[in-house]
Amino acid sequence: MTSLTALSASELARGIRDRRFSSSEVVEAHILRLEAVDPQLNAVAVPLYAQARRDAAAADAALRSGAVSGPLHGVPMTIKEQFLMAGTATTFGLAREAGHRAKADGPLIRRLREAGAIFLAKTNVAQLLFYVESDNPVYGRTNNPWDLTRTCGGSTGGEAALIAAQASPLGIGGDIGGSIREPAHFCGIAGFKPTSGRLTNLDTRGGIFPAGQGAILAQPGPMARTVEDLDLAMKILAAPGLERIDPSLAPVPWHDPATIEVSRLRIAVDDDDGYFSASPAIRRVVVAAADALRRAGAKVEPWTPPDVAEAMRLFFGILTADALDSLRRALGSDPPEPQLELYLKACALSAEDRATTVGELRAAGQVHIAALIAAVGARSAESYWRLVEDQGRYRARFLEQLDRGRFDAIISPPAALPALRHGDTAALPDYDSYARVFNVLGFPAGVVAAGRVRPGEESDRAPTRDGVLIRAREVELGSAGLPVGVQVAARPWRDDVVLAVMAVLEEHFKQQPDFPLAGR
């Protein structure tokens, strides 16, 4: 018999409604699983077990009386620590905020409760949600269930670790630079970032971490072990009426991915963005994804995105235009984690010192760090708006290139590397160009689990002087067995196309012998 914790959220919802098992049984099984795995993972930030048991008992009583609250009736799930939930802390990993308690649920959390979800825990994050690890002074470091010496990613890493370990069937994270998709890739699960502006950021506590820097918006989104569950969650989160709560949102209706005929799509394949080459295993699964889509009837062609170096300049320039003063204020007396220090020091350079440093780094062959330091730092209002104009021009170029190929979707690596070792993000600021380009563009994008690194294909990087690429090779060595994913993106508001393509790829990859199943 399949364990209750191995079932998807959709399977659990159907089983509870059909009375094959109770919500109390499901919740208890997940609490036991959390207690078994979390000593090794350290992914739970705020346990909510007592309340979850009470909510499960109430869900079972309601069902006995014939009442079903919604499509997640009695189903347990977890959420990222950044989201506002009544009576719980939202600290962003800041020790000085450890006493914070939210007065009320945010609108997305309310929607999930109204749909019948039961919250098991809030999960660990990066300090100030700023880097691709989940490690902070409040809750400590979260480990990857595939290899405890590796990170689960961030800033939504706690979610990814627990879902991969079958301790939670469904989670909600946030993504401003890959923070849903990269943990999904690192941990072998599925994750989805909607079109920018699709979901509200009112669930994120204001005054600590901005939900975006004007032209680059964070987006909440679901994480799960199946694409079906991502779709289920989005039908709840993106249901009509959210724009009445948050007038900044466009009232664009949610379209059912089941109506998309993948055989009629034209799909671009980007296995090398020309900025940061991906590891052999990641390239392999992208090529395998292309072959699977061809067999499904889609027209699939190789494609290279325009000038990803420009996209990275825009990403770092826009997000650090205030010289990270907002993050410095949020830190207060808290010391920054090492993963933050490079950015804080780079942003503090004077214009003269920045130019000198960039020149010296380029002369020494340190191309990637030089590009980062050249991009970040304080800007005048005029300079900032020039960046925003450049972002609009870049988006137009990107769409024009898609139009030339008449492409409906893109498949690519989620990032250039598999799961990093703990602390590596301090020396690898831009290995995730594949994810971040879609934050600059505001396109919907998701990641589906695809396979695992095989022995003998860990790395094929050429010798180099560039310290970032040297560290990338070090990450690749010893990576055999780690999960890898494939990213799918589409044009704005075609979230349905992304999920439809992801579903086809998931169906293909789950038949393969190396499909990631960490919890089993």
Short mmCIF file of all heavy atoms in Angstrom, two decimals, residues 5 23-58 74-79 85-88 113 117-124 139 158-159 161-163 165-169:
data_model
loop_
_atom_site.label_atom_id
_atom_site.label_comp_id
_atom_site.label_asym_id
_atom_site.label_seq_id
_atom_site.Cartn_x
_atom_site.Cartn_y
_atom_site.Cartn_z
N THR A 5 1.92 9.76 2.85
CA THR A 5 2.82 10.88 2.58
C THR A 5 3.41 10.83 1.17
O THR A 5 3.99 11.82 0.73
CB THR A 5 3.96 10.95 3.62
OG1 THR A 5 4.75 9.77 3.52
CG2 THR A 5 3.42 11.11 5.03
N SER A 23 -8.95 13.17 7.05
CA SER A 23 -7.97 14.26 7.14
C SER A 23 -7.07 14.06 8.34
O SER A 23 -5.86 14.33 8.26
CB SER A 23 -8.70 15.60 7.23
OG SER A 23 -7.78 16.65 7.43
N SER A 24 -7.62 13.60 9.45
CA SER A 24 -6.80 13.39 10.65
C SER A 24 -5.71 12.35 10.41
O SER A 24 -4.57 12.52 10.85
CB SER A 24 -7.69 12.94 11.82
OG SER A 24 -8.55 14.00 12.22
N GLU A 25 -6.05 11.29 9.67
CA GLU A 25 -5.04 10.28 9.34
C GLU A 25 -3.94 10.88 8.46
O GLU A 25 -2.75 10.62 8.67
CB GLU A 25 -5.69 9.10 8.62
CG GLU A 25 -6.58 8.24 9.50
CD GLU A 25 -7.31 7.19 8.69
OE1 GLU A 25 -7.96 7.55 7.69
OE2 GLU A 25 -7.21 6.00 9.06
N VAL A 26 -4.35 11.68 7.49
CA VAL A 26 -3.39 12.28 6.57
C VAL A 26 -2.49 13.27 7.30
O VAL A 26 -1.25 13.26 7.13
CB VAL A 26 -4.13 12.97 5.41
CG1 VAL A 26 -3.16 13.77 4.55
CG2 VAL A 26 -4.86 11.94 4.55
N VAL A 27 -3.08 14.12 8.11
CA VAL A 27 -2.30 15.12 8.85
C VAL A 27 -1.34 14.44 9.81
O VAL A 27 -0.16 14.81 9.91
CB VAL A 27 -3.23 16.11 9.57
CG1 VAL A 27 -2.48 16.91 10.61
CG2 VAL A 27 -3.90 17.03 8.56
N GLU A 28 -1.81 13.42 10.51
CA GLU A 28 -0.94 12.73 11.47
C GLU A 28 0.23 12.05 10.76
O GLU A 28 1.37 12.08 11.25
CB GLU A 28 -1.74 11.71 12.27
CG GLU A 28 -1.05 11.22 13.53
CD GLU A 28 -0.77 12.33 14.52
OE1 GLU A 28 -1.60 13.26 14.65
OE2 GLU A 28 0.30 12.29 15.18
N ALA A 29 -0.03 11.46 9.61
CA ALA A 29 1.04 10.80 8.86
C ALA A 29 2.10 11.83 8.44
O ALA A 29 3.31 11.56 8.51
CB ALA A 29 0.47 10.11 7.63
N HIS A 30 1.67 13.00 8.05
CA HIS A 30 2.63 14.03 7.64
C HIS A 30 3.39 14.62 8.84
O HIS A 30 4.58 14.93 8.72
CB HIS A 30 1.93 15.12 6.83
CG HIS A 30 1.67 14.75 5.41
ND1 HIS A 30 0.55 14.03 5.02
CD2 HIS A 30 2.40 14.94 4.28
CE1 HIS A 30 0.60 13.81 3.72
NE2 HIS A 30 1.72 14.35 3.24
N ILE A 31 2.72 14.75 9.96
CA ILE A 31 3.43 15.24 11.16
C ILE A 31 4.50 14.23 11.58
O ILE A 31 5.64 14.61 11.91
CB ILE A 31 2.44 15.51 12.30
CG1 ILE A 31 1.57 16.74 11.95
CG2 ILE A 31 3.19 15.75 13.62
CD1 ILE A 31 0.45 16.99 12.94
N LEU A 32 4.15 12.96 11.54
CA LEU A 32 5.14 11.93 11.88
C LEU A 32 6.32 11.97 10.91
O LEU A 32 7.48 11.81 11.30
CB LEU A 32 4.49 10.55 11.87
CG LEU A 32 3.52 10.26 13.03
CD1 LEU A 32 2.82 8.92 12.81
CD2 LEU A 32 4.26 10.26 14.37
N ARG A 33 6.02 12.18 9.63
CA ARG A 33 7.09 12.26 8.63
C ARG A 33 7.95 13.51 8.87
O ARG A 33 9.19 13.44 8.78
CB ARG A 33 6.47 12.30 7.23
CG ARG A 33 7.48 12.35 6.09
CD ARG A 33 8.28 11.08 5.98
NE ARG A 33 9.23 11.17 4.87
CZ ARG A 33 10.25 10.35 4.70
NH1 ARG A 33 10.48 9.37 5.57
NH2 ARG A 33 11.06 10.49 3.67
N LEU A 34 7.32 14.63 9.18
CA LEU A 34 8.07 15.84 9.50
C LEU A 34 9.00 15.61 10.68
O LEU A 34 10.17 16.00 10.66
CB LEU A 34 7.11 16.99 9.81
CG LEU A 34 6.44 17.66 8.61
CD1 LEU A 34 5.21 18.45 9.05
CD2 LEU A 34 7.43 18.58 7.90
N GLU A 35 8.49 14.98 11.71
CA GLU A 35 9.31 14.74 12.90
C GLU A 35 10.45 13.76 12.62
O GLU A 35 11.50 13.83 13.26
CB GLU A 35 8.43 14.21 14.03
CG GLU A 35 7.47 15.27 14.57
CD GLU A 35 6.49 14.74 15.60
OE1 GLU A 35 6.23 13.52 15.61
OE2 GLU A 35 5.99 15.55 16.39
N ALA A 36 10.25 12.89 11.63
CA ALA A 36 11.30 11.93 11.29
C ALA A 36 12.41 12.56 10.46
O ALA A 36 13.60 12.26 10.66
CB ALA A 36 10.69 10.74 10.53
N VAL A 37 12.05 13.44 9.51
CA VAL A 37 13.06 13.95 8.58
C VAL A 37 13.65 15.29 8.98
O VAL A 37 14.78 15.63 8.59
CB VAL A 37 12.51 14.04 7.14
CG1 VAL A 37 12.00 12.70 6.66
CG2 VAL A 37 11.42 15.10 7.02
N ASP A 38 12.90 16.08 9.75
CA ASP A 38 13.39 17.44 9.99
C ASP A 38 14.65 17.53 10.84
O ASP A 38 15.42 18.48 10.67
CB ASP A 38 12.30 18.32 10.60
CG ASP A 38 12.60 19.79 10.40
OD1 ASP A 38 12.81 20.19 9.24
OD2 ASP A 38 12.65 20.54 11.41
N PRO A 39 14.93 16.57 11.74
CA PRO A 39 16.23 16.66 12.43
C PRO A 39 17.42 16.68 11.49
O PRO A 39 18.45 17.27 11.80
CB PRO A 39 16.22 15.41 13.32
CG PRO A 39 14.78 15.17 13.61
CD PRO A 39 14.08 15.52 12.32
N GLN A 40 17.30 16.03 10.33
CA GLN A 40 18.38 16.04 9.36
C GLN A 40 18.28 17.24 8.40
O GLN A 40 19.29 17.80 7.99
CB GLN A 40 18.38 14.75 8.53
CG GLN A 40 18.77 13.50 9.28
CD GLN A 40 17.65 13.01 10.18
OE1 GLN A 40 16.49 12.98 9.77
NE2 GLN A 40 17.99 12.62 11.41
N LEU A 41 17.05 17.64 8.08
CA LEU A 41 16.87 18.70 7.08
C LEU A 41 16.86 20.09 7.69
O LEU A 41 17.32 21.05 7.07
CB LEU A 41 15.56 18.48 6.31
CG LEU A 41 15.42 17.18 5.54
CD1 LEU A 41 14.08 17.14 4.81
CD2 LEU A 41 16.57 17.01 4.56
N ASN A 42 16.28 20.24 8.86
CA ASN A 42 16.11 21.56 9.50
C ASN A 42 15.39 22.52 8.57
O ASN A 42 15.82 23.63 8.31
CB ASN A 42 17.45 22.16 9.93
CG ASN A 42 17.25 23.40 10.80
OD1 ASN A 42 16.38 23.41 11.67
ND2 ASN A 42 18.03 24.43 10.56
N ALA A 43 14.24 22.09 8.07
CA ALA A 43 13.46 22.89 7.13
C ALA A 43 12.27 23.58 7.78
O ALA A 43 11.74 24.54 7.23
CB ALA A 43 12.98 22.01 5.98
N VAL A 44 11.81 23.08 8.91
CA VAL A 44 10.64 23.66 9.59
C VAL A 44 11.08 24.89 10.37
O VAL A 44 11.93 24.81 11.25
CB VAL A 44 9.97 22.64 10.52
CG1 VAL A 44 8.87 23.30 11.34
CG2 VAL A 44 9.42 21.46 9.73
N ALA A 45 10.48 26.03 10.04
CA ALA A 45 10.76 27.26 10.79
C ALA A 45 9.74 27.45 11.92
O ALA A 45 10.11 27.77 13.05
CB ALA A 45 10.72 28.46 9.85
N VAL A 46 8.47 27.26 11.62
CA VAL A 46 7.40 27.46 12.60
C VAL A 46 6.48 26.24 12.54
O VAL A 46 5.67 26.12 11.62
CB VAL A 46 6.59 28.73 12.30
CG1 VAL A 46 5.52 28.95 13.37
CG2 VAL A 46 7.51 29.95 12.20
N PRO A 47 6.57 25.31 13.48
CA PRO A 47 5.67 24.16 13.47
C PRO A 47 4.27 24.57 13.92
O PRO A 47 4.10 25.38 14.82
CB PRO A 47 6.31 23.19 14.47
CG PRO A 47 7.13 24.06 15.38
CD PRO A 47 7.57 25.23 14.56
N LEU A 48 3.27 23.99 13.26
CA LEU A 48 1.87 24.31 13.56
C LEU A 48 1.07 23.04 13.80
O LEU A 48 -0.11 22.94 13.45
CB LEU A 48 1.27 25.11 12.39
CG LEU A 48 1.99 26.41 12.02
CD1 LEU A 48 1.49 26.94 10.68
CD2 LEU A 48 1.81 27.45 13.11
N TYR A 49 1.72 22.07 14.42
CA TYR A 49 1.14 20.72 14.48
C TYR A 49 -0.14 20.65 15.31
O TYR A 49 -1.12 19.99 14.90
CB TYR A 49 2.16 19.73 15.04
CG TYR A 49 3.48 19.69 14.29
CD1 TYR A 49 4.65 19.27 14.93
CD2 TYR A 49 3.56 20.09 12.95
CE1 TYR A 49 5.86 19.24 14.25
CE2 TYR A 49 4.77 20.06 12.27
CZ TYR A 49 5.92 19.64 12.93
OH TYR A 49 7.11 19.60 12.27
N ALA A 50 -0.18 21.30 16.46
CA ALA A 50 -1.37 21.22 17.31
C ALA A 50 -2.58 21.80 16.59
O ALA A 50 -3.68 21.21 16.60
CB ALA A 50 -1.13 21.93 18.64
N GLN A 51 -2.41 22.95 15.97
CA GLN A 51 -3.51 23.56 15.24
C GLN A 51 -3.91 22.71 14.04
O GLN A 51 -5.09 22.59 13.72
CB GLN A 51 -3.13 24.97 14.78
CG GLN A 51 -4.26 25.72 14.10
CD GLN A 51 -5.45 25.93 15.02
OE1 GLN A 51 -5.30 26.42 16.14
NE2 GLN A 51 -6.64 25.54 14.56
N ALA A 52 -2.92 22.11 13.37
CA ALA A 52 -3.22 21.25 12.22
C ALA A 52 -4.08 20.06 12.64
O ALA A 52 -5.03 19.69 11.93
CB ALA A 52 -1.93 20.77 11.58
N ARG A 53 -3.79 19.49 13.80
CA ARG A 53 -4.61 18.37 14.28
C ARG A 53 -6.04 18.83 14.57
O ARG A 53 -7.00 18.12 14.24
CB ARG A 53 -3.97 17.76 15.53
CG ARG A 53 -2.69 16.99 15.26
CD ARG A 53 -2.12 16.39 16.54
NE ARG A 53 -1.02 15.48 16.28
CZ ARG A 53 0.25 15.68 16.65
NH1 ARG A 53 0.58 16.80 17.31
NH2 ARG A 53 1.17 14.79 16.37
N ARG A 54 -6.20 20.00 15.15
CA ARG A 54 -7.55 20.52 15.42
C ARG A 54 -8.29 20.80 14.12
O ARG A 54 -9.48 20.49 13.98
CB ARG A 54 -7.46 21.79 16.28
CG ARG A 54 -7.01 21.54 17.71
CD ARG A 54 -7.22 22.76 18.58
NE ARG A 54 -6.34 23.86 18.23
CZ ARG A 54 -5.13 24.07 18.75
NH1 ARG A 54 -4.65 23.21 19.65
NH2 ARG A 54 -4.40 25.10 18.40
N ASP A 55 -7.58 21.39 13.16
CA ASP A 55 -8.21 21.69 11.87
C ASP A 55 -8.61 20.41 11.13
O ASP A 55 -9.66 20.37 10.46
CB ASP A 55 -7.25 22.50 11.00
CG ASP A 55 -7.04 23.91 11.52
OD1 ASP A 55 -7.83 24.37 12.37
OD2 ASP A 55 -6.07 24.55 11.09
N ALA A 56 -7.79 19.36 11.25
CA ALA A 56 -8.12 18.09 10.60
C ALA A 56 -9.37 17.47 11.22
O ALA A 56 -10.25 16.95 10.51
CB ALA A 56 -6.94 17.14 10.70
N ALA A 57 -9.46 17.52 12.55
CA ALA A 57 -10.65 16.98 13.22
C ALA A 57 -11.89 17.74 12.78
O ALA A 57 -12.96 17.14 12.54
CB ALA A 57 -10.48 17.06 14.74
N ALA A 58 -11.77 19.07 12.64
CA ALA A 58 -12.91 19.87 12.19
C ALA A 58 -13.27 19.54 10.75
O ALA A 58 -14.46 19.48 10.38
CB ALA A 58 -12.58 21.35 12.34
N GLY A 74 -9.31 19.39 3.92
CA GLY A 74 -8.60 18.47 4.80
C GLY A 74 -7.19 18.13 4.39
O GLY A 74 -6.55 17.28 5.01
N VAL A 75 -6.66 18.78 3.32
CA VAL A 75 -5.33 18.44 2.79
C VAL A 75 -4.26 19.29 3.50
O VAL A 75 -4.36 20.51 3.52
CB VAL A 75 -5.26 18.67 1.28
CG1 VAL A 75 -3.85 18.41 0.75
CG2 VAL A 75 -6.28 17.79 0.56
N PRO A 76 -3.23 18.66 4.04
CA PRO A 76 -2.16 19.43 4.69
C PRO A 76 -1.21 20.04 3.68
O PRO A 76 -1.03 19.50 2.57
CB PRO A 76 -1.45 18.39 5.55
CG PRO A 76 -1.65 17.11 4.81
CD PRO A 76 -3.00 17.21 4.16
N MET A 77 -0.57 21.15 4.07
CA MET A 77 0.43 21.78 3.22
C MET A 77 1.33 22.65 4.09
O MET A 77 1.10 22.80 5.29
CB MET A 77 -0.22 22.60 2.12
CG MET A 77 -1.04 23.78 2.59
SD MET A 77 -1.70 24.81 1.23
CE MET A 77 -0.18 25.46 0.54
N THR A 78 2.34 23.23 3.48
CA THR A 78 3.26 24.13 4.17
C THR A 78 3.38 25.43 3.38
O THR A 78 3.00 25.49 2.22
CB THR A 78 4.65 23.49 4.32
OG1 THR A 78 5.03 22.91 3.06
CG2 THR A 78 4.67 22.40 5.38
N ILE A 79 3.91 26.48 4.04
CA ILE A 79 4.13 27.75 3.34
C ILE A 79 5.48 28.33 3.77
O ILE A 79 5.96 28.08 4.88
CB ILE A 79 3.02 28.78 3.60
CG1 ILE A 79 2.94 29.15 5.09
CG2 ILE A 79 1.69 28.29 3.08
CD1 ILE A 79 2.16 30.41 5.35
N MET A 85 0.71 34.92 8.18
CA MET A 85 -0.31 34.01 8.70
C MET A 85 -0.58 34.40 10.14
O MET A 85 0.36 34.54 10.93
CB MET A 85 0.17 32.56 8.62
CG MET A 85 -0.80 31.57 9.26
SD MET A 85 -0.15 29.89 9.26
CE MET A 85 -0.38 29.47 7.55
N ALA A 86 -1.81 34.58 10.47
CA ALA A 86 -2.19 35.09 11.79
C ALA A 86 -1.51 34.31 12.91
O ALA A 86 -1.55 33.07 12.93
CB ALA A 86 -3.71 35.03 11.95
N GLY A 87 -0.88 35.05 13.82
CA GLY A 87 -0.28 34.46 15.00
C GLY A 87 1.08 33.84 14.81
O GLY A 87 1.65 33.29 15.75
N THR A 88 1.63 33.92 13.60
CA THR A 88 2.93 33.31 13.34
C THR A 88 3.97 34.36 12.97
O THR A 88 3.63 35.47 12.53
CB THR A 88 2.86 32.28 12.20
OG1 THR A 88 2.61 32.95 10.96
CG2 THR A 88 1.76 31.26 12.46
N ARG A 113 -7.01 28.65 2.89
CA ARG A 113 -7.85 28.18 4.01
C ARG A 113 -9.28 27.95 3.56
O ARG A 113 -9.91 26.94 3.91
CB ARG A 113 -7.83 29.21 5.13
CG ARG A 113 -6.61 29.22 6.01
CD ARG A 113 -6.92 29.94 7.31
NE ARG A 113 -5.73 30.40 7.99
CZ ARG A 113 -4.98 29.65 8.79
NH1 ARG A 113 -5.29 28.37 8.96
NH2 ARG A 113 -3.92 30.16 9.38
N ALA A 117 -7.46 23.95 2.90
CA ALA A 117 -6.09 23.54 3.24
C ALA A 117 -5.85 23.64 4.73
O ALA A 117 -6.39 24.51 5.42
CB ALA A 117 -5.09 24.40 2.49
N ILE A 118 -4.99 22.76 5.21
CA ILE A 118 -4.57 22.73 6.61
C ILE A 118 -3.06 22.95 6.64
O ILE A 118 -2.31 22.23 5.99
CB ILE A 118 -4.94 21.40 7.28
CG1 ILE A 118 -6.47 21.26 7.38
CG2 ILE A 118 -4.28 21.26 8.65
CD1 ILE A 118 -6.94 19.92 7.86
N PHE A 119 -2.62 23.94 7.39
CA PHE A 119 -1.20 24.32 7.39
C PHE A 119 -0.44 23.56 8.48
O PHE A 119 -0.78 23.65 9.66
CB PHE A 119 -1.05 25.82 7.55
CG PHE A 119 -1.62 26.59 6.40
CD1 PHE A 119 -2.86 27.21 6.50
CD2 PHE A 119 -0.96 26.64 5.19
CE1 PHE A 119 -3.41 27.89 5.43
CE2 PHE A 119 -1.49 27.31 4.10
CZ PHE A 119 -2.72 27.94 4.23
N LEU A 120 0.60 22.86 8.05
CA LEU A 120 1.44 22.07 8.96
C LEU A 120 2.57 22.88 9.57
O LEU A 120 2.97 22.65 10.71
CB LEU A 120 2.07 20.89 8.19
CG LEU A 120 1.14 19.82 7.65
CD1 LEU A 120 1.91 18.93 6.69
CD2 LEU A 120 0.55 19.00 8.79
N ALA A 121 3.14 23.80 8.77
CA ALA A 121 4.33 24.51 9.22
C ALA A 121 4.63 25.65 8.26
O ALA A 121 4.18 25.66 7.11
CB ALA A 121 5.54 23.57 9.29
N LYS A 122 5.42 26.61 8.77
CA LYS A 122 6.10 27.58 7.90
C LYS A 122 7.54 27.13 7.76
O LYS A 122 8.11 26.54 8.69
CB LYS A 122 6.00 28.98 8.49
CG LYS A 122 4.56 29.47 8.63
CD LYS A 122 4.50 30.88 9.21
CE LYS A 122 4.78 31.92 8.15
NZ LYS A 122 4.51 33.30 8.66
N THR A 123 8.13 27.41 6.61
CA THR A 123 9.41 26.77 6.28
C THR A 123 10.54 27.78 6.09
O THR A 123 10.32 28.96 5.84
CB THR A 123 9.25 25.91 5.02
OG1 THR A 123 8.72 26.72 3.96
CG2 THR A 123 8.31 24.74 5.29
N ASN A 124 11.75 27.27 6.15
CA ASN A 124 12.95 28.10 6.25
C ASN A 124 13.29 28.83 4.95
O ASN A 124 12.93 28.39 3.86
CB ASN A 124 14.13 27.25 6.69
CG ASN A 124 15.22 28.08 7.33
OD1 ASN A 124 15.00 29.21 7.76
ND2 ASN A 124 16.41 27.54 7.42
N TYR A 139 16.77 30.48 12.22
CA TYR A 139 16.38 29.07 12.09
C TYR A 139 17.53 28.16 11.70
O TYR A 139 17.35 26.93 11.69
CB TYR A 139 15.27 28.94 11.04
CG TYR A 139 14.07 29.82 11.31
CD1 TYR A 139 13.73 30.84 10.44
CD2 TYR A 139 13.28 29.63 12.44
CE1 TYR A 139 12.63 31.65 10.67
CE2 TYR A 139 12.18 30.43 12.69
CZ TYR A 139 11.86 31.45 11.80
OH TYR A 139 10.77 32.25 12.04
N GLY A 158 13.23 25.67 2.25
CA GLY A 158 12.58 24.80 3.22
C GLY A 158 11.40 24.06 2.61
O GLY A 158 11.18 22.87 2.88
N GLU A 159 10.62 24.77 1.79
CA GLU A 159 9.50 24.13 1.10
C GLU A 159 9.99 22.98 0.23
O GLU A 159 9.45 21.87 0.27
CB GLU A 159 8.79 25.16 0.21
CG GLU A 159 7.91 26.14 0.93
CD GLU A 159 6.75 25.46 1.62
OE1 GLU A 159 6.04 24.65 1.00
OE2 GLU A 159 6.56 25.73 2.81
N ALA A 161 12.72 21.21 0.27
CA ALA A 161 13.28 20.07 1.01
C ALA A 161 12.19 19.18 1.58
O ALA A 161 12.25 17.95 1.48
CB ALA A 161 14.20 20.58 2.11
N LEU A 162 11.17 19.78 2.18
CA LEU A 162 10.11 18.98 2.80
C LEU A 162 9.23 18.29 1.77
O LEU A 162 8.80 17.15 1.97
CB LEU A 162 9.26 19.87 3.71
CG LEU A 162 9.95 20.39 4.97
CD1 LEU A 162 9.01 21.29 5.75
CD2 LEU A 162 10.45 19.25 5.85
N ILE A 163 8.95 18.97 0.66
CA ILE A 163 8.13 18.34 -0.38
C ILE A 163 8.89 17.17 -1.00
O ILE A 163 8.33 16.09 -1.22
CB ILE A 163 7.74 19.38 -1.44
CG1 ILE A 163 6.77 20.41 -0.82
CG2 ILE A 163 7.09 18.71 -2.65
CD1 ILE A 163 6.55 21.64 -1.68
N ALA A 165 11.11 15.36 0.42
CA ALA A 165 11.23 14.30 1.43
C ALA A 165 9.88 13.70 1.81
O ALA A 165 9.80 12.91 2.74
CB ALA A 165 11.91 14.86 2.68
N GLN A 166 8.83 14.07 1.09
CA GLN A 166 7.47 13.56 1.33
C GLN A 166 6.98 13.88 2.73
O GLN A 166 6.25 13.11 3.35
CB GLN A 166 7.39 12.06 1.04
CG GLN A 166 7.64 11.72 -0.40
CD GLN A 166 7.40 10.26 -0.73
OE1 GLN A 166 7.08 9.46 0.14
NE2 GLN A 166 7.57 9.90 -2.00
N ALA A 167 7.34 15.04 3.21
CA ALA A 167 6.83 15.52 4.49
C ALA A 167 5.76 16.58 4.30
O ALA A 167 5.12 16.99 5.27
CB ALA A 167 7.97 16.09 5.35
N SER A 168 5.56 17.03 3.07
CA SER A 168 4.51 17.98 2.70
C SER A 168 4.16 17.71 1.24
O SER A 168 5.07 17.53 0.42
CB SER A 168 5.00 19.42 2.87
OG SER A 168 4.06 20.35 2.33
N PRO A 169 2.88 17.70 0.90
CA PRO A 169 2.53 17.46 -0.50
C PRO A 169 2.50 18.72 -1.36
O PRO A 169 2.55 18.63 -2.58
CB PRO A 169 1.12 16.85 -0.40
CG PRO A 169 0.54 17.49 0.82
CD PRO A 169 1.69 17.69 1.78
#
